[in-house]
Amino acid sequence: MSSTLKGITLKGSAELVAEFFSFGINSILYQRGIYPPETFSRVTHYDMSLQLTTDPKLKNYLTNVVSQLKEWLFDCTVQKLVLVITCLETNEVLERWQFDIECDKSAKESSAPREKSIKTIQDEIRSVIRQITATVTFLPLLETPCAFDLLVYTDKDLVVPDKWEASGPQTIDQSEEVRLRSFTTSIHKVNSMVAYRKTDSL
Amino acid sequence: MAEGGDVDWELSKENIQPLRRGRAISALHQALSQQDGPSSVINQQRQAFESELRMYDGDDPLSVWDRYIKWTEQTFPQGGKESHLATLLERVVTRFTEDKKYSNDSRYVDLWIKFAETCAEPMDIYRYMQAQGIGVKQTSLYIAWSEEYENQGNYRQADLVYQDGIKNFAEPHDKLLQFHKALQARVSRQAMMKIDEDSSEDEQKQPERASLADLKHRGKKKAIAPINRTGRAIKHISGGLQSHGAPVFGSASNSRLVIFDENKTQTTGCSEPKLESWVAPPTSRGKENDQKAEKWCDVKMPQKSKFGHTIMAPPPPKPTFQPFVEESDQPPTMTPCKINPAVNTVLSARKLAREETPLKRLQERHQHQKEAESGKLQEQSMYCKDLLLGGATEFCLEELRADRYFKRMAQEAQKARASAGN
């Protein structure tokens, strides 16, 4: 670790946040059983064990998304990333993981690095991922085979790239929402939240 | 605390039992914030449910039970004894066993399944349900049953259960087919994986030892031990005992742990354990000390005297053979016996005659009811015993009376108000 890593630049921040999304999405897909657990392999990152998919198609898809996301993060044009889990048979939305991204656009003008060490940021990221893991305590069991979809909310004026298309918000009616922890790189701030269908009891 | 809002649930995540249908986060917060001591709000709510159970006079008594049990699940995230969940479930399932109106009610069947999951032997409960005709038209029974078989690794039975369900036209039909398909997909995928692994190299077959976390280095040394110990890192077991590291079915989620499975070593290649048809039910093992059934007609029961003392049976006759005694041996000095052997009234805690399982209690109750119907039963309670002992907690007569009184008062007040309004 050299002393240059003390501060953080826009580029570094974009990379860190994109990396978080890569690990975070993988974690959710593993925890919620969207893909069979055998298709994941364990890696150690952020000082914790994480599961990464080994499915080539999924890997490819995620790499594409994350690299696109990194560009948008660098341009500070992305507002939200949403992971939607839908029932494969009925296309009903069962869970919605929402990550709100607040970009500090002033970082685009001044290239001076911000004072926040990578270690602190990674600590914050770690607690977000831990909390994602802990949500099994209250989330309903996904009983049916499910598919997932990633939605990205960007600034309105952005040109939609070839591989992306406009989509609806895919919200859940009558949902229960739980705010999770957030983290900030001091340039990008990510607030996470999960929404799921309300239990019909009570 | 953290910007992420409340972290109560995260701090006590280990103490929250996951529910199939999830938890309402508001109920969870409420339950966790009131952890210390018996809180009055929870007690009041429970009391309200308890009296509703007893005072209900509509046509759907199950609805109260259903709400009560769901409330209990949400309010006591840790489960545990104070939730009375197991008692409640047992009460509700026995209460409506005879009620044909409910036998294929999805709520009732779900309660049965929850009850089965609290028991040690859910299979027995499912079989009992089938025999009683409870839930035979409900998909959820077949799903729960099949999943239980699947957890035990009995895929063929799991499949048969679904076929049974299809034969019985269980509803909703789509769901049944969907779950059946999912099971078949899982089984075939695992079978494929097994073939894959068998054909891979021998090196892979050696058991791997994985530590759960990286080993930290101490001091200035930077060497990091690998997490996976394979190949040369493991001592090679050569010779006769070849440990066969076939992954156990059903434990795919933690496939790093290899668990010995005796079925696998005996029948390699065959994915399911072969089903034998029993000619007679197997004798239960591990009960060597149970007496075999024998003739009892000339066995005398020990007679009780007037004072309740048991009269000692005559001592057994002396053996007809002479035990061999070594010549040099001294007869052992007797320790003086402090207890008079004639007195035989020492009290000890009563042992349970046999294992009490919820299912046995159920069957007994069933038997009991049949006897009551045929008029054989001697005992008859002349007070409303069911009402007092109906819920999870016991009521006293005064409480019931008070409840009735308050209800009447409320009705009268309403009437008075209505007439005053006119």
Side-chain angles (χ1 to χ4, degrees), chain A residues 146-184:
Chain A
C146 291
F148 84 102
D149 202 0
L150 287 173
L151 314 175
V152 178
Y153 289 59
T154 57
D155 290 351
K156 283 234 167 73
D157 48 347
L158 203 73
V159 183
V160 181
D162 304 339
K163 287 183 183 167
W164 293 77
E165 55 179 13
S167 147
Q170 305 215 30
T171 49
I172 312 171
D173 48 327
Q174 289 220 327
S175 68
E176 189 97 40
E177 291 182 358
V178 181
R179 289 217 148 270
L180 303 177
R181 285 173 197 270
S182 55
F183 74 92
T184 173

Side-chain angles (χ1 to χ4, degrees), chain B residues 32-321:
Chain B
L32 291 175
S33 58
Q34 289 175 340
Q35 242 169 1
D36 322 298
S39 56
S40 59
V41 181
I42 288 180
N43 275 343
Q44 272 171 17
Q45 279 172 327
R46 158 175 286 161
Q47 193 68 20
F49 274 119
E50 287 279 331
S51 69
E52 198 182 346
L53 279 186
R54 289 163 172 93
M55 304 308 293
Y56 186 84
D57 57 352
D59 357 303
D60 191 16
L62 185 69
S63 70
V64 186
W65 283 95
D66 192 42
R67 271 186 291 124
Y68 187 11
I69 285 169
K70 278 184 181 150
W71 172 84
T72 308
E73 279 178 337
Q74 297 280 347
T75 314
F76 296 92
Q78 307 94 325
K81 209 156 186 162
E82 68 270 28
S83 71
H84 297 299
L85 187 61
T87 335
L88 276 175
L89 286 171
E90 196 180 325
R91 288 264 156 81
V92 68
V93 298
T94 42
R95 173 99 194 263
F96 299 107
T97 317
E98 298 290 300
D99 208 334
K100 287 285 167 270
K101 178 172 81 178
Y102 287 131
S103 44
N104 277 302
D105 189 309
S106 65
R107 292 170 304 168
Y108 187 50
V109 177
D110 282 345
L111 290 175
W112 264 99
I113 292 167
K114 276 179 200 161
F115 170 64
E117 277 161 5
T118 62
C119 296
E121 273 294 327
M123 292 293 194
D124 291 345
I125 306 278
Y126 297 137
R127 266 182 226 120
Y128 180 79
M129 283 173 76
Q130 199 184 32
Q132 297 286 322
I134 295 163
V136 285
K137 298 245 176 286
Q138 281 293 325
T139 293
S140 49
L141 167 66
Y142 297 101
I143 292 174
W145 199 349
S146 168
E147 278 175 357
E148 188 60 37
Y149 271 124
E150 199 185 341
N151 285 343
Q152 295 183 359
N154 195 341
Y155 293 100
R156 177 174 294 177
Q157 278 297 331
D159 193 64
L160 286 179
V161 167
Y162 278 127
Q163 286 176 17
D164 234 24
I166 293 166
K167 236 186 276 163
N168 281 320
F169 303 108
E171 286 294 321
H173 198 62
D174 298 350
K175 198 174 172 193
L176 187 69
L177 290 183
Q178 190 189 328
F179 273 76
H180 190 192
K181 227 163 57 187
L183 168 79
Q184 286 170 334
R186 278 197 297 274
V187 172
S188 57
R189 200 178 60 222
Q190 269 165 345
M192 289 285 286
M193 273 179 49
K194 199 173 162 251
I195 293 166
D196 273 5
E197 250 155 60
D198 282 352
S199 59
S200 64
E201 334 166 33
D202 209 38
E203 186 85 31
Q204 292 267 304
K205 271 194 186 169
Q206 292 301 322
E208 287 187 5
R209 208 184 117 217
S211 69
L212 294 173
D214 272 342
L215 297 177
K216 290 251 166 61
H217 54 82
R218 288 182 73 177
K220 282 176 186 167
K221 276 184 225 159
K222 287 272 178 178
I224 290 171
I227 296 182
N228 291 333
R229 313 285 170 76
T230 44
R232 253 165 275 157
I234 312 172
K235 222 194 230 170
H236 205 82
I237 311 160
S238 57
L241 275 173
Q242 268 280 338
S243 51
H244 191 82
V248 182
F249 273 27
S251 68
S253 52
N254 47 5
S255 53
R256 277 163 194 279
L257 291 176
V258 179
I259 297 160
F260 175 73
D261 186 357
E262 57 178 26
N263 296 333
K264 285 287 141 47
T265 42
Q266 283 159 6
T267 60
T268 39
C270 176
S271 58
E272 291 123 336
K274 231 172 137 187
L275 285 170
E276 293 167 43
S277 56
W278 294 101
V279 185
T283 49
S284 56
R285 262 159 287 166
K287 290 189 176 174
E288 297 86 351
N289 296 332
D290 273 4
Q291 278 188 325
K292 282 256 168 61
E294 55 185 328
K295 239 166 117 183
W296 277 79
C297 55
D298 13 23
V299 176
K300 265 192 189 160
M301 288 291 287
Q303 299 289 313
K304 292 245 170 109
S305 77
K306 238 190 192 165
F307 308 104
H309 295 297
T310 317
I311 295 168
M312 288 288 286
K318 286 210 165 162
T320 47
F321 59 91

Side-chain angles (χ1 to χ4, degrees), chain A residues 18-79:
Chain A
E19 187 188 55
F20 158 74
F21 281 126
S22 159
F23 284 114
I25 293 168
N26 267 298
S27 284
I28 295 172
L29 295 181
Y30 174 76
Q31 295 294 341
R32 305 305 291 148
I34 311 295
Y35 285 84
E38 310 89 86
T39 64
F40 285 82
S41 70
R42 198 172 59 183
V43 291
T44 306
H45 201 85
Y46 305 128
D47 267 341
M48 67 198 282
S49 277
L50 292 166
Q51 301 283 348
L52 278 190
T53 181
T54 51
D55 185 303
K57 270 191 208 154
L58 179 61
K59 224 167 159 174
N60 195 18
Y61 170 70
L62 287 180
T63 329
N64 275 337
V65 172
V66 170
S67 60
Q68 178 63 65
L69 199 64
K70 206 186 288 176
E71 276 175 38
W72 281 328
L73 282 165
F74 186 62
D75 299 338
C76 288
T77 47
V78 58
Q79 294 166 353

